[in-house]
Amino acid sequence: DAKTTQPPSMDCAEGRAANLPCNHSTISGNEYVYWYRQIHSQGPQYIIHGLKNNETNEMASLIITEDRKSSTLILPHATLRDTAVYYCIVRVATNFGNEKLTFGTGTRLTIIP
Amino acid sequence: DTGVSQDPRHKITKRGQNVTFRCDPISEHNRLYWYRQTLGQGPEFLTYFQNEAQLEKSRLLSDRFSAERPKGSFSTLEIQRTEQGDSAMYLCASSLALGRELFFGEGSRLTVL
């Protein structure tokens, strides 16, 4: 499985953009990059995913480098409710049609008032 | 609430006892997943169902663990002869189709004394 590397923790001021980096240098051509977050004591929540192109939705933007070896999740205007652990995941589709998500330890993002 | 629901949310048991967790996925989702999360770590894949068929199991799923999804709707995860190392959060997730995001429940936290 392609592995991802994320900084263990980051701080961001409330109202500013939070930029969370992720390295996935061994990613294969047909593997997607997914981002989930987990707020304390809750299950993970899907944020966004992409393959090659940059993506944007109501929660965040995902910027993937041209060589696909790294990506950045951008929360444009961070709020206190964005404090969570953010996981960058390379999705592997197995022979059984299973989308096995391999979570790492993620980045603990703290939004500072 | 039409999200993924898990029951019980918390379970404390003595070593050697059997425990069972239940997951009710989002109603139209035919894909169901179980993950396990220990303190400070990201979730780890345990097993995957498509409808009632269990298509993939992680090597983490020892022979003391069994999961079922008898009618392709709710699922149960049973742990026999629990050990202290089984203490973890057990997360259930469901998805509509390949390539669609996983929706996680809030988990069942197991403490084995």
Side-chain angles (χ1 to χ4, degrees):
Chain A
D1 296 351
K3 294 185 178 179
T4 61
T5 305
Q6 299 177 253
S9 63
M10 292 180 62
D11 293 338
C12 178
E14 187 178 16
R16 303 297 295 270
N19 294 273
L20 291 89
C22 179
N23 288 322
H24 31 78
S25 57
T26 60
I27 193 169
S28 298
N30 61 348
E31 292 176 334
Y32 284 75
V33 178
Y34 276 65
W35 284 82
Y36 281 74
R37 72 180 183 183
Q38 189 170 24
I39 297 170
H40 183 62
S41 298
Q42 296 183 18
Q45 177 191 23
Y46 166 81
I47 301 173
I48 199 167
H49 73 278
L51 182 63
K52 295 180 181 178
N53 299 322
N54 298 337
E55 302 288 345
T56 296
N57 64 20
E58 65 278 5
M59 289 183 69
S61 295
L62 175 61
I63 308 297
I64 302 175
T65 58
E66 193 170 343
D67 62 9
R68 303 209 326 121
K69 292 185 177 182
S70 65
S71 60
T72 301
L73 178 74
I74 301 172
L75 307 178
H77 305 286
T79 71
L80 297 179
R81 289 178 296 179
D82 293 323
T83 292
V85 178
Y86 286 77
Y87 295 100
C88 169
I89 300 158
V90 173
R91 190 204 84 189
V92 177
T94 71
N95 292 335
F96 302 99
N98 173 17
E99 298 187 47
K100 186 164 62 176
L101 300 180
T102 301
F103 290 79
T105 51
T107 295
R108 181 172 298 278
L109 175 67
T110 302
I111 305 303
I112 310 296
Chain B
D1 189 300
T2 57
V4 178
S5 62
Q6 294 189 242
D7 183 71
R9 293 290 312 280
H10 302 275
K11 179 72 176 178
I12 300 173
T13 191
K14 293 182 178 179
R15 189 178 55 184
Q17 298 295 303
N18 299 344
V19 296
T20 299
F21 301 114
R22 176 181 170 121
C23 170
D24 286 273
I26 295 172
S27 60
E28 65 268 27
H29 287 188
N30 64 356
R31 294 163 179 263
L32 186 146
Y33 305 78
W34 285 98
Y35 282 76
R36 179 175 71 183
Q37 185 173 25
T38 54
L39 200 61
Q41 302 297 312
E44 298 172 291
F45 168 77
L46 291 180
T47 190
Y48 157 66
F49 290 85
Q50 188 168 337
N51 299 310
E52 67 276 7
Q54 186 175 19
L55 295 185
E56 191 166 353
K57 295 193 293 186
S58 163
R59 65 180 186 277
L60 294 175
L61 214 65
S62 76
D63 56 6
R64 295 184 299 105
F65 288 69
S66 62
E68 294 182 341
R69 193 182 183 198
K71 297 183 179 179
S73 56
F74 73 91
S75 175
T76 58
L77 176 68
E78 181 184 16
I79 309 174
Q80 296 182 326
R81 305 181 304 280
T82 52
E83 303 173 354
Q84 288 184 325
D86 298 331
S87 294
M89 176 78 82
Y90 290 85
L91 292 159
C92 177
S94 69
S95 71
L96 184 59
L98 187 69
R100 301 293 296 271
E101 67 267 32
L102 271 63
F103 291 83
F104 283 84
E106 298 204 343
S108 294
R109 180 169 295 284
L110 173 65
T111 302
V112 181
L113 302 176

